[in-house]
Amino acid sequence: QVQLVESGGGLVQAGGSLRLSCAASGRTSSSYAMGWFRQAPGKEREFVAAQSWNGLSTYYADSVKGRFTISRDNAKNTVYLQMNSPKPEDTAVYYCAGRQGRATNKEYEYDDWGQGTQVTVSS
C-alpha cells in the first residue's frame, strides 16, 4: 500500500510559476513510476506528465510540453511538477499517481492516487 499526498496548489497568475509536490509513503520500490494528471470542471481527468524511478523516461502531454517540468527526489520519495507560464486553461485539480513498473500516460495503469490539489490560474 502506498499513500500519496499532494501539496503546493493554489492561485497563480497567468505567466507566473507554481510548484506542486507529491510525497509517497509506504511500499514504494526502485521501480516505482510517478505521474501527474489533472481534471478541470466538467472534463475528464487527463494526463499531464510522468517519470520513471530513475528519471530516464519522462513523458509530457503536448499541452504542457515546454512549460511544465516533472522531477523527483527519490531520497525524499517525492515527485514535483514545476509549472511555468501557466495559462487559465491549466486550471484544474491536479492528482499525483504512482505505479510499480514503467512510466506511462495511461490513467488506468496507475494503482495509487493522491487526493488532489486545486490549481487556479487567473488571467
Side-chain angles (χ1 to χ4, degrees), residues 10-18 83-88 119-123:
L11 177 65
V12 60
Q13 281 195 327
S17 64
L18 193 68
M83 305 171 61
N84 294 333
S85 300
K87 305 174 182 178
V119 173
T120 302
V121 184
S122 63
S123 58

Side-chain angles (χ1 to χ4, degrees), residues 1-109:
Q1 187 78 15
V2 177
Q3 294 77 42
L4 302 175
V5 179
E6 302 99 335
S7 61
L11 177 65
V12 60
Q13 281 195 327
S17 64
L18 193 68
R19 189 177 80 159
L20 306 182
S21 301
C22 174
S25 61
R27 301 181 65 180
T28 60
S29 72
S30 60
S31 63
Y32 193 73
M34 298 183 76
W36 291 93
F37 291 76
R38 67 186 182 187
Q39 186 168 23
K43 295 187 177 181
E44 295 188 349
R45 190 156 54 184
E46 64 176 5
F47 169 74
V48 176
Q51 190 169 66
S52 60
W53 173 265
N54 58 15
L56 294 182
S57 297
T58 302
Y59 306 99
Y60 294 97
D62 289 342
S63 59
V64 306
K65 202 172 294 183
R67 299 187 298 120
F68 292 6
T69 302
I70 187 172
S71 62
R72 58 192 301 167
D73 183 341
N74 290 334
K76 297 181 179 180
N77 277 343
T78 299
V79 66
Y80 305 96
L81 184 68
Q82 179 67 43
M83 305 171 61
N84 294 333
S85 300
K87 305 174 182 178
E89 51 263 44
D90 294 319
T91 295
V93 176
Y94 282 72
Y95 296 91
C96 175
R99 69 184 300 270
Q100 302 293 342
R102 64 181 182 85
T104 172
N105 62 356
K106 303 294 191 296
E107 178 181 348
Y108 63 84
E109 292 187 325

